[in-house]
């Protein structure tokens, strides 16, 4: 196992351990428990004197392979695989705060992430301030003496706003707070939050890491000391563990991550450029296009564009619905990162629970549409959009 392997190699071989059968493909250890040679061996295992697994809620061999492979990819010391992306986010945040602490979070967050910090955390006496994360001054002004955690997502869902991760990390280090980054939209290939100074990275592995729409999963990555001190006991005793079956599916998914994300990004870029030329489209937001409002930060912290495109139709909701309904290859779904191209209208789906005011703050209008590029032939996708746009008045 080599730390110097390049990502594409790590993602095929990293973390693999083989049983006595020498299987090529990673084995699924679908077991709840483990047996011991003797009472003394059980005692030693529980004392931590010998390595080995105890119970699948704590850890198990297939999950361990997935965690090790993710660590190599992310450049992290340690990780915990979780049952979903939300299990990763909620564990990463809740394990490190107590009543009386304060969280500063960017207001542009995945809906459930926002609920965790805005609605759930205050129930336990943890206050939260939401800020427009694009301006570092807002983070600075929100800081209180009891601020313990900064939480952000970049690029954001659905309008692909970008936050200066290194800038936020610098501020956090000045006050001794930890930065948690939800790196789903950037993918582990295009953005390295730990290298930028963030302390904890979380993923919904449901998205690009599975990449084929099969199972839920998540992962929390950080340095070993932080995990030992904060997440280790929380994870064991609250039980957000991933199923070994899902860990296996995700291990297989991750092998092809670079191939899929490369094709998805090419497709997304092509659709973004195509849409920008269409009379029905008011604006296109795509990290990687020169007209992205924060192209300078993107150049600084991302090594690739995005598999997602946000765009706004001049004709509002009616136009958005007409476009979505007329597409044949691109399917209507709130999911993303799949090998199938998907499209959603955030105002009536993923962001319907926000107030009109909160949606406006996030740049989500009645005409905003989010496209998640799949791995299809981009000629077919362009033709699908061109034909569907005929159903939309300019
Ligand atoms: C999907 C998603 C989540 C939640 O992940 P689940 O696997 O659905 O629980 C969190 N953050 C972002 C940015 C996501 O896209």
């Amino acid at each position: 196992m080599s730390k110097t392997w390049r990502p594409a190699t790590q993602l095929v071989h990293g973390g693999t351990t083989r049983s006595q059968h020498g299987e090529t493909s990673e084995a699924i250890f679908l077991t709840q428990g483990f047996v011991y040679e003797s009472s003394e061996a059980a005692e030693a295992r529980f004392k931590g004197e010998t390595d080995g697994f105890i119970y699948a809620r704590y850890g198990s061999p297939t999950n361990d392979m997935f965690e090790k492979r993710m660590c190599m990819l992310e450049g992290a010391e340690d990780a915990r695989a979780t049952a979903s992306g939300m299990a990763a986010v909620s564990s990463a945040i809740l394990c490190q705060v107590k009543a009386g602490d304060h969280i500063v979070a960017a207001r542009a967050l995945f809906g459930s992430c926002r609920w965790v910090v805005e609605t759930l955390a205050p129930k336990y006496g943890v206050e939260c301030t939401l800020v427009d994360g694009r301006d570092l001054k807002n983070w600075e002004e929100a800081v209180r003496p009891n601020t313990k955690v900064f939480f952000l997502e970049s690029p954001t869902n659905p309008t692909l706003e970008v936050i200066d991760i290194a800038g936020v990390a610098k501020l956090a280090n000045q006050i001794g707070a930890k930065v948690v980054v939800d790196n789903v939209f950037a993918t582990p290939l295009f953005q390295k939050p730990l290298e930028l100074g963030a302390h904890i990275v979380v993923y919904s592995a449901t998205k690009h890491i599975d990449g084929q729409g099969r199972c839920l999963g998540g992962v929390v990555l950080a340095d070993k000391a932080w995990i030992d001190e904060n997440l280790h006991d929380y994870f064991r005793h609250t039980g957000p563990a991933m199923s070994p079956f899902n860990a296996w599916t995700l291990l297989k998914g991750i092998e092809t991550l670079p191939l899929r994300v490369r094709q998805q990004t090419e497709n997304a870029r092509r659709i973004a450029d195509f849409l920008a030329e269409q009379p029905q489209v008011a604006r296109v937001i795509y990290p990687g296009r020169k007209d992205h409002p924060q192209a300078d930060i993107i150049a600084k912290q991302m090594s690739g564009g995005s598999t997602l495109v946000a765009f706004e139709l001049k004709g509002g909701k009616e136009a958005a619905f007409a476009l979505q309904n007329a597409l044949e290859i691109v399917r209507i779904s709130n999911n993303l990162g799949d090998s199938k191209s998907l499209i959603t209208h955030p105002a009536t789906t993923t962001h319907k629970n926000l107030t009109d005011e909160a949606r406006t703050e996030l740049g989500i209008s009645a005409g905003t549409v989010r496209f998640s590029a799949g791995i299809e032939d981009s000629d077919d996708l362009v033709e699908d959009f061109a034909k569907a746009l005929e159903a939309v008045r300019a």
Side-chain angles (χ1 to χ4, degrees):
M1 218 53 57
S2 169
K3 283 231 152 98
T4 62
W5 285 343
R6 290 162 187 85
T9 311
Q10 288 171 353
L11 294 184
V12 177
H13 298 284
T16 301
T17 51
R18 295 196 162 87
S19 78
Q20 73 275 24
H21 302 298
E23 63 281 351
T24 313
S25 173
E26 293 73 9
I28 311 178
F29 290 91
L30 204 50
T31 181
Q32 298 167 342
F34 303 86
V35 297
Y36 311 95
E37 294 283 301
S38 64
S39 316
E40 290 76 11
E43 183 182 32
R45 189 75 55 83
F46 270 76
K47 279 185 174 166
E49 291 168 358
T50 57
D51 283 338
F53 299 101
I54 291 176
Y55 188 54
R57 172 153 38 81
Y58 298 178
S60 60
T62 312
N63 294 39
D64 191 55
M65 288 191 255
F66 172 70
E67 288 164 352
K68 288 208 166 82
R69 200 172 282 182
M70 281 303 306
C71 282
M72 290 178 91
L73 174 62
E74 198 65 40
E77 286 177 7
D78 205 359
R80 290 292 182 276
T82 57
S84 68
M86 283 321 303
V89 169
S90 57
S91 302
I93 291 176
L94 298 177
C95 77
Q96 60 174 322
V97 291
K98 60 178 187 319
D101 287 347
H102 176 240
I103 297 170
V104 183
R107 67 189 182 192
L109 288 175
F110 183 78
S112 299
C113 296
R114 187 158 159 164
W115 184 86
V116 167
V117 291
E118 193 178 24
T119 306
L120 180 65
K123 283 195 193 179
Y124 299 97
V126 178
E127 301 277 282
C128 174
T129 307
L130 293 175
V131 298
D132 178 347
R134 290 172 296 182
D135 189 343
L136 284 175
K137 233 193 296 130
N138 297 334
W139 293 89
E140 220 173 313
E141 282 169 14
V143 166
R144 297 182 196 166
N146 54 344
T147 302
K148 292 286 158 58
V149 178
F150 286 173
F151 179 44
L152 64 96
E153 171 184 319
S154 180
T156 64
N157 176 35
T159 47
L160 307 174
E161 290 177 358
V162 174
I163 293 170
D164 178 353
I165 297 173
V168 173
K170 193 170 157 214
L171 178 62
N173 286 331
Q174 284 165 7
I175 63 159
K178 298 291 183 194
V179 179
V180 180
V181 175
D182 179 339
N183 207 38
V184 167
F185 272 50
T187 81
L189 300 172
F190 291 160
Q191 183 167 272
K192 302 284 184 199
L194 298 177
E195 284 174 17
L196 294 166
H199 306 91
I200 300 118
V201 183
V202 290
Y203 288 99
S204 165
T206 312
K207 311 295 164 54
H208 304 87
I209 291 171
D210 177 343
Q212 290 157 83
R214 297 164 297 194
C215 61
L216 300 180
V219 59
V220 183
L221 300 121
D223 64 54
K224 194 173 174 314
W226 182 87
I227 291 201
D228 284 349
E229 207 174 299
N230 297 279
L231 186 59
H232 182 80
D233 285 345
Y234 179 98
F235 184 86
R236 285 183 164 215
H237 304 308
T238 63
M242 175 185 280
S243 152
F245 182 83
N246 288 2
W248 177 81
T249 311
L250 295 164
L251 265 170
K252 298 284 95 187
I254 207 171
E255 290 183 350
T256 55
L257 180 75
L259 300 172
R260 286 182 285 102
V261 169
R262 193 183 311 142
Q263 181 70 31
Q264 287 171 313
T265 304
E266 277 174 25
N267 288 355
R269 181 186 306 274
R270 182 139 181 233
I271 293 300
D273 290 343
F274 171 79
L275 289 171
E277 301 297 317
Q278 306 309 309
Q280 298 95 329
V281 176
R283 96 186 153 125
V284 170
I285 310 166
Y286 183 70
R289 269 178 66 87
K290 285 203 187 69
D291 58 4
H292 189 288
Q294 297 158 289
D296 53 334
I297 300 174
I298 292 166
K300 216 171 69 176
Q301 70 184 25
M302 293 184 72
S303 60
S306 176
T307 66
L308 292 126
V309 182
F311 59 99
E312 200 176 313
L313 290 162
K314 290 176 187 162
K317 177 180 166 184
E318 195 191 329
F321 275 32
L323 173 74
Q324 292 196 145
N325 291 341
L327 287 162
E328 286 178 1
I329 297 169
V330 181
R331 306 313 301 156
I332 301 168
S333 173
N334 47 287
N335 203 1
L336 62 99
D338 200 293
S339 49
K340 294 176 170 59
S341 284
L342 304 174
I343 199 160
T344 196
H345 180 245
T348 53
T349 60
T350 54
H351 291 70
K352 80 163 180 23
N353 288 337
L354 292 180
T355 60
D356 288 347
E357 193 192 359
R359 267 197 300 273
T360 306
E361 272 178 6
L362 300 179
I364 303 166
S365 74
T368 302
V369 179
R370 187 194 75 191
F371 170 65
S372 169
I375 61 172
E376 301 94 340
D377 190 309
S378 66
D379 285 344
D380 287 325
L381 294 178
V382 169
E383 282 171 24
D384 201 27
F385 269 101
K387 200 165 137 276
L389 279 166
E390 289 171 13
V392 181
R393 254 176 290 133

